[in-house]
Amino acid sequence: MSVTTSLSLSPHAHLGPPLPPMSILRRLNLHNHLNLRSRSRNHRLFRSLAVAAVRQDTTVWTQAPLTEIEPAAESLFHVTIDVSDAPDLAVSHTRPGQYLQLRVPEVEKPSFLAIASPPSFSEARGAFEFLVKSVAGSTAELLCGLKKGDVVELSQVMGRGFDIDRVDPPESFPTLLIFATGSGISPIRSLIESGFSADKRSDVRLYYGARNLKRMAYQDRFKDWESSGVQIVPVLSQPDGNWTGESGYVQAAFTRAKQIYSPQSTGAVLCGQKQMTEEITSILVADGVSSEKILKNF
């Protein structure tokens, strides 16, 4: 006896589509995997940007009043800011060459300024001094247009400054060559007035470049600097007809003088125009001065 089983289908029943070949499934899986990886990368990118934004927002701004603002040279202003109400900020200036950010009222973009006064001044007087170049359209120009009593905002003190310990003791580095151009003399003033045993070194020279004498700040301090043991060599790129000193650019003036007696016992400090610092560094290294003994504050 045979049994026959029949299957009747409803007229509304649907048969499933045929399964795709394995090659298509593999491509689909790869596509989904790549999409997941892309979303993961984007997530990490967004997360890192968010973290960076949070870090950027961690800048602590301290309000402080101007106590002095006056011309220091053509296009340069001497600015003093009272930080006596923020003693932690004042004592955070520990090394010549450090800098901070400064904001003026109703302007978001800050200006980076090297501190011109020595750390001892900040601690004893509760103030910072700056040499500010007024550049058209900049925050610095707005700062130079303020008056005594106006309030600005300062960030924390930043930067490693000049690590003068790398050219100590003075007996081991009797030659110390200092180079500055324009407002780059600001942190150099902090270094000189902080003291680095210049009087115990046999050859300390400051090559200070400016367009002309009207653009050269701190001339009233030259005698004090020289009495501390620093020989000052002014270099003017566009002097008037009565100038008898060094002319041209700082790097050319130094090349003419040179006089490096012992590269192994020579150190250098540089601050100012980028081309000058790069060319002086190349000259010194080519003459055998160790790059570790060439100090910069940035």
Side-chain angles (χ1 to χ4, degrees), residues 32-284:
N32 290 337
H33 177 66
L34 292 174
N35 279 341
L36 286 172
R37 287 182 60 186
S38 177
R39 287 197 293 270
S40 177
R41 282 198 301 269
N42 289 339
H43 178 71
R44 288 197 300 270
L45 174 61
F46 292 142
R47 186 172 58 188
S48 64
L49 289 174
V51 170
V54 170
R55 286 176 180 167
Q56 188 175 14
D57 290 339
T58 59
T59 302
V60 176
W61 295 99
T62 300
Q63 292 190 335
L66 297 176
T67 57
E68 185 180 4
I69 181 163
E70 61 182 21
E74 191 176 273
S75 300
L76 294 170
F77 288 81
H78 179 74
V79 176
T80 304
I81 298 176
D82 181 6
V83 292
S84 59
D85 287 338
D88 290 343
L89 177 60
V91 299
S92 68
H93 181 210
T94 59
R95 182 180 283 177
Q98 289 181 302
Y99 56 94
L100 49 69
Q101 297 180 77
L102 181 146
R103 293 196 309 199
V104 299
E106 300 180 2
V107 178
E108 284 294 323
K109 187 176 181 181
S111 181
F112 285 83
L113 297 175
I115 302 172
S117 48
S120 58
F121 180 90
S122 306
E123 186 174 359
R125 304 280 188 89
F128 292 144
E129 294 184 336
F130 303 91
L131 181 67
V132 183
K133 182 178 181 179
S134 179
V135 178
S138 69
T139 300
E141 181 187 36
L142 297 175
L143 170 63
C144 295
L146 298 179
K147 59 185 183 297
K148 181 178 178 179
D150 285 341
V151 174
V152 296
E153 292 184 323
L154 304 178
S155 75
Q156 307 99 317
V157 175
M158 299 182 290
R160 65 181 184 270
F162 298 120
D163 188 1
I164 204 69
D165 290 342
R166 298 200 328 232
V167 289
D168 268 341
E171 295 79 12
S172 299
F173 296 93
T175 298
L176 188 63
L177 304 168
I178 307 172
F179 302 88
T181 54
S183 59
I185 194 64
S186 177
I188 297 300
R189 175 203 152 191
S190 180
L191 173 66
I192 294 173
E193 296 183 5
S194 295
F196 54 91
S197 303
D199 58 342
K200 296 180 180 178
R201 305 176 195 262
S202 58
D203 180 20
V204 179
R205 281 174 270 159
L206 165 60
Y207 289 87
Y208 177 13
R211 181 178 297 179
N212 50 52
L213 287 177
K214 292 180 180 178
R215 293 285 187 102
M216 184 166 279
Y218 297 145
Q219 293 181 56
D220 57 329
R221 296 176 178 270
F222 284 1
K223 285 186 178 180
D224 289 339
W225 293 359
E226 288 183 326
S227 66
S228 72
V230 180
Q231 177 191 351
I232 300 173
V233 184
V235 185
L236 305 182
S237 61
Q238 297 180 22
D240 62 31
N242 298 323
W243 178 248
T244 59
E246 291 286 346
S247 60
Y249 293 111
V250 162
Q251 49 269 46
F254 173 64
T255 301
R256 288 192 294 269
K258 203 61 87 63
Q259 295 175 347
I260 296 180
Y261 303 108
S262 174
Q264 293 74 26
S265 59
T266 296
V269 182
L270 284 71
C271 190
Q273 200 254 356
K274 182 179 179 182
Q275 183 178 347
M276 180 276 288
T277 61
E278 290 177 347
E279 291 185 12
I280 289 293
T281 298
S282 297
I283 293 169
L284 292 173

